[in-house]
Amino acid sequence: MRVSYKWLKQYVDIQLSPEELAEKLTMAGLAVENIEQLHPGFQGVVAGIIKDIEPHPNAEHLVVCRVDAGRELQLVTGAPNVFKGQKVAVALEGARLPAGQEIRRATFRGVTSEGMLLSAQEMGLDVGLVSPADREGILTLPPDASPGTDVAAVLGLDDVVLVLELTPNRADCLSVLGVAREVAAITGAPLRLPVITVEEKGQGIEGLARVEIEAPDLCARYVARLVLDVKIGPSPAWLQAYLRAAGMRPINNVVDITNFVMLEMGQPLHAFDYDLLQQHTIIVRRAAAGEKITTLDGVERELDREMLIIADAARPVAVAGVMGGLETEVTSGTVNILIESAHFDGTSIRRTSRKLGLRSEASTRFERGVNLEGAAAAADRAAQLMAELAGGRVAGGRLDRYVRKYKPTTIILRPERVNFILGTDLASSTMKEILERLHLEVEGEGPFEVTVPPNRGDLTQEIDLIEEIARLYGYDRIPASLPGNITARKKETPGQRWEEAGREAAAAAGLAEVVTYSFVSPRALDNLRLPEEHEWKHTVKLQNPLREDQSILRPSLLPGLLEVAARNASRRVLPVAIYEVGRVFKPHGRQLPEEHLRLGGLVMGSTGRSWNRPAEEMDFFYLKGIVENILARVNIKEVVWEATADYPFLHPGRGANIKKDGTTLGFIGELHPDVLAVYDLPARACVFELDWEQAEKFNRREVGYDPLPRFPAVERDLAVVVKDDIPAAVVAETIRRAAGRELKECTLFDVYRGAPVPEGHKSLAYSLVYQLPDRTLTDAEVNAAQERVWKALEEQLGARLR
């Protein structure tokens, strides 16, 4: 919100400099982000009026103007937009422009120019705030500019703008009067509200116009006033100056008045050309499917049933609360004006604005909340100004369709609660005085019964009033102290502790944590080569995504991990070894989606080499070791790695399910080359993802202690030849079952293919350790166990000893 310092002083006596005022506003919770000096820095520039224009005798594209600038001057210009009677900016001889140029008397093809007519750009003004016609030529000043007057004063450039960064709840401060109320409350200066008096003439509006509200849930109130016989023209200088200070371009007196009142009172208004409204009727309704309107920006927009529109008897004439329609626009030929001052549902306006990709000053205010009780006063204020500044005649009365009445909010405030929350010792009288400075009605001596004015929709609870007292009393005056009789203790749920255990385990295994968005693009799932019937393709879609590449909730952590890996690889940050603990989402009918906790990771590249060890590629087996370490750290052991082809994004033959007691905990594998190509990954990459909630079920929380063995172990090696398609894990499990309780460890230490092992077979060598905790094993017992193992391998797997 941009607030003119001069405009603010119209409503409250300010004895503070702009800098001092900015400091006080910021300390009271209205952050002033910037203080802008509007004067661009020119000197010696005054207003003038063109008395006569003659062609240059020696130059086809130049003209000679006789200008009254407090004294008569002869000026030569090539501007295409000059005309007799035009008010212009004149740089006198000796003037200085913002670019450093000094104006001197000059001769153009034999004709002397005693100064210079200036454009907005030459004066250092924002060309976006001047009319399109003036952007290509000299600047046209307002019609009430007096010759010889300093142009800085004419344009309101002798002003300072306070740029406020408002929090969403302070919709009341999206108006100059709202900020003035704050300044009055902070400084104690009296507030001067504008006096609204409407002189009504002629026939009443009831017989001239009609208003119907067909969507009362989206429009609580609609006020219309009629102003006849207006004369469209430029606004006076003071009005244009205030609009430009607020960042708005002056257009004409009628439109400028609606914008002025919106900025002054916070109530968006719209002016219709009354004669272009079919049957002089206003209907507030939802749009029909496929209905279209061309808005004031010249764009045709298609509407839907959820959008609120203003229609006449035949077609839409405005998108309610967002922008008016081109067909009923106020133009130079407009004579009669219908003023709209309404209260629309903020949620509806926000949705419409987003769908149409169209934001305006009006929609911003409706989205945050507009004073329901202020609609009539704003319509009267606009009618008053149109009569004064556009020569209009205000029809008697107003159409006020008030379908949902305002209900005042009353809050009970306990003085002892205020002091307890703030840690202060304020007297009740002080609290009452502060609240009354904010124009709140306070009854009682404590507890207080506080009635909130309609412009402060953000005050709904006792704690809101406590905050108001705190900021007006001064945050800097509240003593810093620890809350009394309150102790804080960190309490984690079992689920939170388990989630943190996953992070600690992954970090201990050598992975770095990343945090990625829960929103992903549907293209991310296509990049994983997933068929349409894959369960991950059934996603939770956002109704109003901020952008297309964040339009669904992720069904897996994998898309985020791949994005991080690709970003690191593009910057040559290798190797990549990352993990994430986060939630994935599944649709659950019309109810809220299911959320499931996952632990996923990705490795790519090679470990660093040093003097005592070579670099090691982070391949499938490297990542398998990391996952084993993660699970072992949370006491989940003896998992099974089962080959699978269920994941299209994994390399064929290099993927596995991770199982525990028949339950699938997740998957691990090397990424498919097509996936690597999509993400432009420079090396082989391996990924895993664990269902961390399922894993918790197998977490053995009790940590046992195994004493050092008292009796010696017996070691035997065993090499068997089996078919290539028999996993080593199956062989090891067969060995364990056959050996019985005497077998303490079974470790694979060698895999061999080639002569003399037959083709299509492999040799697996295991180290077996036999040991009992209560006695020493005999050779006979170990030999018997070995015999059982040989027999089981031969009968169950067709293995033979090597």
Side-chain angles (χ1 to χ4, degrees), residues 506 511 558 561 578-579 599-602 623 626-627 630 658 667-669 686-690:
L511 302 180
L558 197 52
L561 294 171
I578 56 177
Y579 80 92
L599 168 58
L602 179 148
L623 184 60
I626 286 178
V627 176
I630 292 173
I658 305 170
F667 66 84
I668 184 173
C686 298
V687 296
F688 78 91
E689 186 170 292
L690 296 171

Side-chain angles (χ1 to χ4, degrees), residues 25 70 100 123 173 239 303 366 421 462 470 484 582 662 678 684 692 695 760:
L25 286 170
M123 295 169 64
C173 288
L239 179 52
L303 310 172
F366 280 120
I421 293 292
E462 183 182 36
V678 168
R684 293 196 300 174
W692 204 236

Side-chain angles (χ1 to χ4, degrees), residues 55-337:
H56 192 289
N58 303 317
E60 200 174 298
H61 300 292
L62 298 177
V63 294
V64 181
C65 300
R66 187 164 54 85
V67 179
D68 177 5
R71 58 188 174 89
E72 191 166 304
L73 299 173
Q74 177 177 280
L75 302 174
V76 178
T77 182
N81 64 327
V82 292
F83 57 88
K84 188 176 180 179
Q86 183 181 18
K87 297 292 180 69
V88 292
V90 181
L92 303 174
E93 186 176 357
R96 287 188 174 275
L97 301 185
Q101 179 184 3
E102 182 177 348
I103 304 303
R104 299 183 182 277
R105 185 185 295 254
T107 301
F108 297 92
R109 299 282 185 93
V111 178
T112 300
S113 182
E114 300 173 293
M116 180 178 178
L117 298 181
L118 297 178
S119 67
Q121 188 172 8
E122 288 166 332
M123 295 169 64
L125 304 180
D126 183 352
V127 295
L129 297 181
V130 301
S131 68
D134 288 347
R135 292 173 193 169
E136 302 299 325
I138 63 169
L139 177 67
T140 301
L141 298 181
D144 56 341
S146 300
T149 306
D150 186 353
V151 164
V154 172
L155 296 177
L157 299 177
D158 53 344
D159 195 4
V160 176
V161 170
L162 304 180
V163 183
L164 305 183
E165 186 67 31
L166 299 175
T167 52
N169 64 314
R170 292 309 304 270
D172 60 301
C173 288
L174 286 171
S175 67
V176 179
L177 274 176
V179 178
R181 289 189 182 95
E182 285 290 308
V183 173
I186 293 168
T187 62
L191 181 69
R192 292 189 300 270
L193 296 177
V195 178
I196 303 175
T197 56
V198 182
E199 183 181 352
E200 300 176 344
K201 298 179 181 179
Q203 184 179 351
I205 191 174
E206 287 287 351
L208 299 175
R210 183 166 62 93
V211 173
E212 296 178 7
I213 299 178
E214 295 182 358
D217 56 323
L218 301 182
C219 178
R221 189 179 190 184
Y222 194 101
V223 177
R225 291 219 69 149
L226 183 60
V227 184
L228 307 171
D229 301 328
V230 299
K231 297 175 182 60
I232 303 297
S235 299
W238 64 267
L239 179 52
Q240 292 192 34
Y242 285 159
L243 293 181
R244 277 192 292 265
M248 301 186 76
R249 176 172 63 86
I251 298 174
N252 59 52
N253 48 7
V254 167
V255 175
D256 291 352
I257 287 168
T258 62
N259 287 331
F260 173 83
V261 174
M262 176 186 68
L263 293 169
E264 180 185 55
M265 305 181 71
Q267 170 66 53
L269 303 177
H270 185 67
F272 293 103
D273 188 323
Y274 168 78
D275 298 308
L276 298 179
L277 291 171
Q278 297 291 324
Q279 300 179 23
H280 306 312
T281 296
I282 290 291
I283 302 172
V284 186
R285 61 173 173 84
R286 285 178 168 83
E291 206 165 12
K292 295 181 180 179
I293 183 175
T294 301
T295 46
L296 288 172
D297 57 1
V299 178
E300 184 180 68
R301 303 179 188 276
E302 185 170 340
L303 310 172
D304 64 38
R305 295 179 187 273
E306 293 185 1
M307 297 179 182
L308 186 68
I309 63 165
I310 311 300
D312 61 12
R315 81 285 195 200
V317 294
V319 181
V322 181
M323 188 174 284
L326 196 61
E327 293 188 43
T328 54
E329 178 187 18
V330 174
T331 65
S332 58
T334 298
V335 176
N336 302 313
I337 299 293

Side-chain angles (χ1 to χ4, degrees), residues 467-499:
E467 181 183 359
E468 293 298 289
I469 292 172
R471 68 186 190 83
L472 265 295
Y473 177 70
Y475 292 124
D476 55 332
R477 298 173 63 189
I478 297 175
S481 60
L482 291 173
N485 301 322
I486 298 177
T487 58
R489 173 180 290 179
K490 181 181 178 183
K491 293 184 178 180
E492 292 183 334
T493 65
Q496 290 171 329
R497 288 196 293 271
W498 177 245
E499 185 175 335

Side-chain angles (χ1 to χ4, degrees), residues 265-542:
M265 305 181 71
Q267 170 66 53
L269 303 177
H270 185 67
F272 293 103
D273 188 323
Y274 168 78
D275 298 308
L276 298 179
L277 291 171
Q278 297 291 324
Q279 300 179 23
H280 306 312
T281 296
I282 290 291
I283 302 172
V284 186
R285 61 173 173 84
R286 285 178 168 83
E291 206 165 12
K292 295 181 180 179
I293 183 175
T294 301
T295 46
L296 288 172
D297 57 1
V299 178
E300 184 180 68
R301 303 179 188 276
E302 185 170 340
L303 310 172
D304 64 38
R305 295 179 187 273
E306 293 185 1
M307 297 179 182
L308 186 68
I309 63 165
I310 311 300
D312 61 12
R315 81 285 195 200
V317 294
V319 181
V322 181
M323 188 174 284
L326 196 61
E327 293 188 43
T328 54
E329 178 187 18
V330 174
T331 65
S332 58
T334 298
V335 176
N336 302 313
I337 299 293
L338 185 79
I339 301 171
E340 167 193 282
S341 179
H343 187 281
F344 302 120
D345 177 71
T347 302
S348 171
I349 300 304
R350 183 183 301 111
R351 288 174 178 167
T352 299
S353 176
R354 283 190 178 181
K355 282 184 179 180
L356 296 178
L358 184 62
R359 290 189 62 81
S360 63
E361 292 284 346
S363 67
T364 298
R365 285 163 174 78
F366 280 120
E367 287 175 15
R368 295 195 179 192
V370 169
N371 178 8
L372 179 58
E373 287 284 276
D380 290 347
R381 176 70 163 154
Q384 173 194 17
L385 292 173
M386 287 183 192
E388 294 174 0
L389 305 180
R393 196 166 41 85
V394 182
R398 62 171 98 92
L399 297 178
D400 190 351
R401 303 296 181 253
Y402 204 163
V403 294
R404 283 189 288 122
K405 299 286 186 179
Y406 170 75
K407 297 179 181 178
T409 299
T410 301
I411 303 170
I412 303 300
L413 178 67
R414 298 161 292 173
E416 63 275 12
R417 183 65 177 169
V418 176
N419 284 324
F420 175 77
I421 293 292
L422 300 182
T424 54
D425 191 22
L426 298 178
S428 297
S429 58
T430 302
M431 299 178 193
K432 186 175 182 179
E433 185 266 334
I434 288 174
L435 294 175
E436 288 175 341
R437 276 160 49 192
L438 290 164
H439 304 280
L440 306 179
E441 294 182 18
V442 185
E443 296 182 3
E445 298 301 324
F448 300 122
E449 189 174 290
V450 182
T451 302
V452 179
N455 64 300
R456 289 302 304 271
D458 58 311
L459 304 180
T460 60
Q461 305 175 66
E462 183 182 36
I463 194 67
D464 297 328
L465 298 180
I466 295 173
E467 181 183 359
E468 293 298 289
I469 292 172
R471 68 186 190 83
L472 265 295
Y473 177 70
Y475 292 124
D476 55 332
R477 298 173 63 189
I478 297 175
S481 60
L482 291 173
N485 301 322
I486 298 177
T487 58
R489 173 180 290 179
K490 181 181 178 183
K491 293 184 178 180
E492 292 183 334
T493 65
Q496 290 171 329
R497 288 196 293 271
W498 177 245
E499 185 175 335
E500 189 59 30
R503 289 190 173 91
E504 292 176 356
L511 302 180
E513 184 176 17
V514 298
V515 179
T516 65
Y517 287 113
S518 297
F519 304 145
V520 298
S521 167
R523 291 191 301 274
L525 303 182
D526 296 332
N527 293 341
L528 295 179
R529 307 174 70 250
L530 299 178
E532 288 302 319
E533 65 274 9
H534 196 279
E535 64 172 337
W536 287 4
K537 283 279 193 170
H538 303 293
T539 57
V540 180
K541 298 176 177 61
L542 303 183

